[in-house]
């Protein structure tokens, strides 16, 4: 059984560009959540997808958007990148969307915005 | 508003010594509480979780945590620390307020002296 994988590992973009990050959920999991972890901070909840629908959202602007595909893999898209978007982006999958379900995290994508 | 506070940014203990990491939360209803560990370059791994019932929760790697409603605390403990426990530890609360949300503290970095 493979765990949660994310690609790419590292990414460098310039301000104003757009970026797409990818996540493959653990086998059998239909829910994926995305987090932003700035340096020295805890992860901040961006949003959650359950069966291809957004199921919850944190305090992030609309330029942060996502997709979940029928195979439950997921994308995080960020438009009009800002310097403050530099962070580690983590995705986590869980068996269902319940808040009590254990989330299994991927290793993250390190995004640097210049 | 929901929040999680980890008052200790850094903690240093000697190998074999006991450990307690503090976590305080603010949440109006019964909280769902979690402790995660993050090693360098790794995603987060769940150590333990509390939803209801016995307020002393056992987790992996010899960790335990105690939920104290009167103090709004969920402190993590380990009787004897190993060098491999050096990592960053995050306390989190799972909340439902119209939508699902997970709120993490800012983390405590643990250093273990040989």
């Amino acid at each position: 059984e493979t765990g949660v994988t994310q690609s790419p590992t590292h990414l460098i973009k310039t301000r104003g560009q757009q970026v797409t990050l990818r996540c493959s959920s653990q086998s059998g999991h239909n829910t994926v959540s995305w987090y932003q972890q700035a340096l020295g901070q805890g992860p901040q909840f961006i949003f959650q997808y359950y069966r291809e629908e957004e199921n919850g959202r944190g305090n992030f602007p609309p330029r942060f958007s996502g997709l979940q595909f029928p195979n439950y893999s997921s994308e995080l898209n960020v438009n009009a990148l800002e310097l403050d978007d530099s962070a580690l982006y983590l995705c986590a999958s869980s068996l269902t969307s319940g808040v009590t379900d254990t989330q299994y995290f991927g290793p993250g994508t390190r995004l640097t915005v210049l | 508003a929901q929040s999680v506070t980890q008052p200790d940014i850094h903690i240093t203990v000697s190998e074999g010594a006991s450990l307690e990491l503090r976590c305080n939360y603010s949440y109006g209803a019964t909280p769902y509480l979690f402790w995660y560990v993050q090693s360098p370059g790794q995603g987060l791994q769940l150590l333990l979780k509390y939803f209801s019932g016995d307020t002393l929760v056992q987790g992996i790697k010899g960790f335990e945590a105690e939920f104290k409603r009167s103090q709004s605390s969920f402190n993590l403990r380990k009787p004897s620390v190993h060098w491999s426990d050096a990592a960053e530890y995050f306390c989190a609360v799972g909340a439902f307020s119209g939508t699902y949300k997970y709120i993490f503290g800012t983390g405590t970095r643990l250093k273990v002296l040989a």
Side-chain angles (χ1 to χ4, degrees), chain A residues 24-74:
Chain A
S24 289
S25 301
Q26 191 160 313
S27 177
H29 289 188
N30 61 23
T31 302
V32 64
S33 302
W34 284 92
Y35 294 84
Q36 180 195 67
Q37 186 178 16
L39 206 58
Q41 300 295 316
Q44 287 199 57
F45 178 65
I46 303 175
F47 44 56
Q48 181 185 81
Y49 277 80
Y50 169 65
R51 293 188 174 178
E52 303 176 56
E53 297 285 333
E54 189 178 290
N55 187 44
R57 192 177 183 94
N59 296 326
F60 281 81
R63 60 190 186 83
F64 285 79
S65 63
L67 279 174
Q68 188 182 29
F69 300 100
N71 66 355
Y72 301 133
S73 65
S74 175

Side-chain angles (χ1 to χ4, degrees), chain A:
Chain A
E1 179 182 285
T2 56
V4 179
T5 59
Q6 292 186 243
S7 62
T9 307
H10 296 88
L11 203 51
I12 299 175
K13 291 284 188 180
T14 55
R15 197 171 44 183
Q17 284 189 311
Q18 178 264 342
V19 70
T20 298
L21 310 182
R22 293 179 174 82
C23 172
S24 289
S25 301
Q26 191 160 313
S27 177
H29 289 188
N30 61 23
T31 302
V32 64
S33 302
W34 284 92
Y35 294 84
Q36 180 195 67
Q37 186 178 16
L39 206 58
Q41 300 295 316
Q44 287 199 57
F45 178 65
I46 303 175
F47 44 56
Q48 181 185 81
Y49 277 80
Y50 169 65
R51 293 188 174 178
E52 303 176 56
E53 297 285 333
E54 189 178 290
N55 187 44
R57 192 177 183 94
N59 296 326
F60 281 81
R63 60 190 186 83
F64 285 79
S65 63
L67 279 174
Q68 188 182 29
F69 300 100
N71 66 355
Y72 301 133
S73 65
S74 175
E75 284 182 357
L76 164 65
N77 299 290
V78 187
N79 293 323
L81 283 167
E82 301 176 0
L83 297 180
D84 284 349
D85 296 333
S86 294
L88 180 68
Y89 288 85
L90 297 164
C91 88
S93 74
S94 53
L95 201 56
T96 71
S97 63
V99 72
T100 59
D101 286 334
T102 298
Q103 296 185 82
Y104 295 86
F105 283 81
T109 293
R110 172 76 60 188
L111 172 65
T112 302
V113 182
L114 303 175

Side-chain angles (χ1 to χ4, degrees), chain A residues 33 35 37 40-43 45 48 55-59 88 90 97-100 102-103 105-107, chain B residues 32 34 36 38 41-46 49 51 90 94-96 99-107:
Chain A
S33 302
Y35 294 84
Q37 186 178 16
Q41 300 295 316
F45 178 65
Q48 181 185 81
N55 187 44
R57 192 177 183 94
N59 296 326
L88 180 68
L90 297 164
S97 63
V99 72
T100 59
T102 298
Q103 296 185 82
F105 283 81
Chain B
Y32 300 112
F34 307 82
Y36 285 87
Q38 186 176 36
Q42 304 291 317
L44 281 75
Q45 181 184 22
L46 180 69
K49 56 188 176 183
F51 303 146
F90 293 95
F96 183 79
T99 184
Y100 287 113
K101 221 180 206 186
Y102 300 86
I103 300 160
F104 283 78
T106 51

Side-chain angles (χ1 to χ4, degrees), chain B residues 37 45-48 58-64 78:
Chain B
V37 61
Q45 181 184 22
L46 180 69
L47 288 174
L48 47 76
Q58 301 298 320
I60 62 170
K61 304 186 180 188
F63 286 92
E64 66 178 27
K78 186 169 185 178

